[in-house]
Amino acid sequence: MNAFSERDLHRCGPNRERPLRLNAARLRALGPGAVGERYGAPKYRLARGCVRLHIPLTTNSDAVLYLDGTEHACQPSEFWYGDFSREHAVRSLGTTTRVHTVIDVLFTIELAVLFPPDWQDS
């Protein structure tokens, strides 16, 4: 999973050309003490041309995402991509609710330029 800086998010702000071809967007909340089951979303993988992006809005120190056996602590104002077609799960054992904006988009060249150069080379 790769994190992008807040500066990169501003590239698609109100005064810029938008690189996203939106399929769906929603807020996802995970309440205190919640533990999600492991699952995969096979529709959202690069081979199908559709990816899932996460933008954490609020979180707590005990909220984590498990993807490919690795634990990730996503923080507010970060912009995350992960291959969510792979098995993943979430956990929020803190005392506050974790909220993410989840965006499903078509993968385009315009979106690819927002990804870190080392990811683009792979």
Side-chain angles (χ1 to χ4, degrees):
M1 196 145 132
N2 296 305
F4 300 91
S5 71
E6 188 172 358
R7 176 181 52 82
D8 290 330
L9 281 179
H10 290 182
R11 288 190 194 161
C12 53
N15 297 321
R16 303 286 181 133
E17 184 176 327
R18 287 183 173 59
L20 302 181
R21 296 193 54 201
L22 185 64
N23 181 40
R26 62 216 168 272
L27 295 176
R28 301 289 306 256
L30 194 62
V35 177
E37 292 188 27
R38 293 187 179 273
Y39 73 100
K43 178 178 177 181
Y44 299 100
R45 63 182 190 270
L46 284 175
R48 289 194 55 155
C50 194
V51 295
R52 182 165 284 171
L53 308 172
H54 281 249
I55 302 171
L57 301 177
T58 63
T59 193
N60 63 70
S61 60
D62 293 313
V64 295
L65 163 73
Y66 297 97
L67 179 63
D68 285 339
T70 302
E71 188 175 293
H72 303 277
C74 306
Q75 298 303 308
S77 81
E78 294 176 338
F79 176 36
W80 287 83
Y81 160 78
D83 183 350
F84 292 100
S85 69
R86 298 177 182 167
E87 189 174 271
H88 60 283
V90 292
R91 176 189 82 205
S92 182
L93 300 180
T95 59
T96 60
T97 300
R98 165 198 173 269
V99 180
H100 281 205
T101 302
V102 178
I103 306 167
D104 299 331
V105 297
L106 294 177
F107 190 76
T108 62
I109 292 171
E110 294 83 7
L111 177 59
V113 300
L114 297 178
F115 284 59
D118 63 330
W119 185 91
Q120 294 176 32
D121 294 337
S122 60

